[in-house]
Amino acid sequence: MNSPWATTAANFLADPNKQLFIDGKWVPSATGERIETFNPSTGQLLATLARGQKADVDAAVASSRRAFQGHWSSFTPAQRQQLIMQFAELFEKNFEELTLLESLDMGAPLMTRLRPAKNTALQTILYYAAQARNIGGETVSNSLPGKVTSMTLKAPVGVVGGIIPWNGPLFSQMHILGPVLATGCTAVIKPSEEASLAILRTAELLVEAGLPPGVVNVVTGFGSEAGAALAAHPDVNRVAFTGSTGTGREIIKASAGNMKRLQLELGGKSPDIVFADADLDKAVPGVAMGVFSNSGQICFAGTRIFVERKIQAEFVERLGAYSRTLKVGDPLAPDTNLGPLISRRQLDRVLSYLDIGRQEGGELVAGGRRLGGDLAGGYYLEPTIFSNVSNTMTIAREEIFGPVASVIPFDTVEDALALANATEYGLASGVWTTNIDTALKLAHGIEAGTVWVNCYGLVDPAVGFGGYKESGYGWKGGQAQIDGYLYQKAVYINVG
């Protein structure tokens, strides 16, 4: 691929032995050990990463604490806003290079990232830049005797541990960097060992934007080592984590040591409900991409597709036909819709669910094969649809994290609502109908952090996103997220 940003990315990859970013400098891990990371589209070695462990996390947290208590604490809201704006300018200028690194790292199709993802990421950064000047307490009337003035102040919580997933690292980091920089906190970021390159490159841009040393540190490594050490660290005040529900439970346990604040975006098995009165010309592609975007590797993927029985046959036929128009292939090719899964381990996991789906009686109507030929070296899987699935089957209950859809029939609005809520998860949901009464009934009744009506996957930074039940808690975006990086204190002044 011939372009200036491809050349810059190649230069970044020319030194494949990436280090830790601590206190504004690139440093080796304390042990000198390294991790291999592979290109999922070819299965070939892409780079090696420093294997950060407890000692490295200790050093990074100490750096962030020094920055929090030092020069960074003197930055005014206007100065923090200006720094975020400078970073946003550099992020936009280098977005194509960052996206290429992300595509090489985790297999997302480049073209799907260059267009809407660029706008979404930039809008997110700019939202937090605006919030830097929007932080304040209030004066409060009291009933105390004498002349006492009372007010509330808001202050940054301190050091934040940000644990980033591999399925969308560029966007995910913005929901840590944004509120950290806006509120005056500092951060230690632990990217996934399977997709760290774009995060490391972002660290370079933060330095270029003028960020003081220690405000943001990056420690690569395994979740069981660096991630666990960060979650349990006694000098970390807040942890923001996106990942599996199982790991989320471990982070909750680890947070008890110093009562860390937590924001957890965990697993999902989201319902996407299609009524007979829906506009199928919009619903079919909307539902399909609600499952298959990013090769199904999205926490809020609408993998449980509930279809009103009277249109089930037509919908399944149209959904299958649409899925066969999607090109699975090289993520750098301009016409690719779906790239590979992140790793051989994830591919094997998803394939095992396809076997389970067949064994439990699901009707395979599309896909179901690993792709070979020119794609044999990568971890490619056809978009897959099972029909006549029951809500109790394994493929309808467990998060697969791959391009696998389960179509489940229903008869009434009440049936749809009961089926949608019959899960331990509650991350997101979709409803397709032209009846406003039906839409509002489902919007109020579905137990999920987000309800999309006649659309799927839209996220705005001012509105935000969060989970319910075992899909986690805390909010990403909106004023609620800013408040999560601040604590409130009451001030009483006796002026009499």
Side-chain angles (χ1 to χ4, degrees), residues 346-407:
Q346 182 64 14
L347 174 64
D348 289 342
R349 181 177 184 274
V350 176
L351 288 172
S352 72
Y353 275 105
L354 302 191
D355 292 337
I356 293 170
R358 296 184 185 96
Q359 294 164 9
E360 293 187 349
E363 179 187 348
L364 185 65
V365 297
R369 295 183 304 116
R370 179 184 181 182
L371 296 176
D374 294 340
L375 304 177
Y379 314 126
Y380 296 92
L381 182 68
E382 291 179 317
T384 300
I385 302 168
F386 283 96
S387 186
N388 294 321
V389 175
S390 75
N391 208 33
T392 59
M393 288 183 183
T394 303
I395 57 172
R397 289 186 295 105
E398 297 184 7
E399 186 177 36
I400 298 173
F401 227 62
V404 182
S406 296
V407 179

Side-chain angles (χ1 to χ4, degrees), residues 413-426:
V413 173
E414 291 71 24
D415 289 340
L417 190 56
L419 289 166
N421 290 337
T423 174
E424 70 252 37
Y425 296 112

Side-chain angles (χ1 to χ4, degrees), residues 194-450:
E194 294 179 304
S196 297
L197 297 181
I199 305 297
L200 293 172
R201 179 70 179 105
T202 299
E204 294 183 338
L205 298 181
L206 287 168
V207 172
E208 190 176 344
L211 191 71
V215 176
V216 175
N217 296 290
V218 182
V219 177
T220 55
F222 292 115
S224 60
E225 296 175 346
L230 187 59
H233 202 287
D235 208 21
V236 170
N237 304 103
R238 177 179 174 83
V239 170
F241 169 77
T242 299
S244 71
T245 298
T247 303
R249 290 192 182 96
E250 295 303 313
I251 290 175
I252 293 171
K253 295 176 186 176
S255 73
N258 66 335
M259 299 295 181
K260 291 179 181 65
R261 296 186 177 198
L262 298 178
Q263 185 271 309
L264 305 174
E265 182 188 324
L266 306 178
K269 195 68 181 177
S270 299
D272 205 358
I273 305 168
V274 184
F275 287 89
D277 62 8
D279 181 345
L280 295 189
D281 290 338
K282 296 179 180 178
V284 168
V287 168
M289 298 316 294
V291 181
F292 300 137
S293 289
N294 212 29
S295 297
Q297 299 170 125
I298 298 178
C299 53
F300 57 70
T303 54
R304 290 189 300 148
I305 304 172
F306 296 102
V307 181
E308 194 166 353
R309 196 179 303 273
K310 66 180 70 174
I311 64 165
Q312 182 188 7
E314 178 188 359
F315 185 85
V316 168
E317 181 180 356
R318 293 178 64 165
L319 186 66
Y322 183 87
S323 73
R324 286 184 280 272
T325 68
L326 299 174
K327 180 182 177 182
V328 181
D330 179 1
L332 303 187
D335 58 344
T336 293
N337 302 116
L338 306 182
L341 298 179
I342 184 66
S343 65
R344 178 58 188 264
R345 180 181 61 182
Q346 182 64 14
L347 174 64
D348 289 342
R349 181 177 184 274
V350 176
L351 288 172
S352 72
Y353 275 105
L354 302 191
D355 292 337
I356 293 170
R358 296 184 185 96
Q359 294 164 9
E360 293 187 349
E363 179 187 348
L364 185 65
V365 297
R369 295 183 304 116
R370 179 184 181 182
L371 296 176
D374 294 340
L375 304 177
Y379 314 126
Y380 296 92
L381 182 68
E382 291 179 317
T384 300
I385 302 168
F386 283 96
S387 186
N388 294 321
V389 175
S390 75
N391 208 33
T392 59
M393 288 183 183
T394 303
I395 57 172
R397 289 186 295 105
E398 297 184 7
E399 186 177 36
I400 298 173
F401 227 62
V404 182
S406 296
V407 179
I408 304 167
F410 72 88
D411 293 302
T412 66
V413 173
E414 291 71 24
D415 289 340
L417 190 56
L419 289 166
N421 290 337
T423 174
E424 70 252 37
Y425 296 112
L427 191 56
S429 58
V431 178
W432 300 84
T433 179
T434 54
N435 186 314
I436 188 61
D437 292 337
T438 300
L440 289 174
K441 184 171 185 177
L442 271 292
H444 284 284
I446 292 176
E447 298 169 348
T450 299

Side-chain angles (χ1 to χ4, degrees), residues 19-20 22 27-33 50-57 59 219:
Q19 306 291 350
L20 308 176
I22 298 178
V27 297
S29 65
T31 65
E33 296 180 79
R51 183 176 176 176
Q53 298 181 59
K54 183 179 183 302
D56 305 296
V57 170
V219 177

Side-chain angles (χ1 to χ4, degrees), residues 140-214:
V140 183
S141 298
N142 63 69
S143 300
L144 298 169
K147 295 182 179 180
V148 177
T149 296
S150 51
M151 67 185 73
T152 62
L153 303 176
K154 291 184 178 180
V157 297
V159 179
V160 176
I163 303 177
I164 305 287
W166 50 258
N167 63 325
L170 273 179
F171 180 69
S172 293
Q173 71 173 338
M174 293 309 156
H175 280 289
I176 296 174
L177 293 177
V180 160
L181 300 180
T183 60
C185 291
T186 57
V188 177
I189 292 179
K190 208 299 282 185
S192 168
E193 62 271 21
E194 294 179 304
S196 297
L197 297 181
I199 305 297
L200 293 172
R201 179 70 179 105
T202 299
E204 294 183 338
L205 298 181
L206 287 168
V207 172
E208 190 176 344
L211 191 71

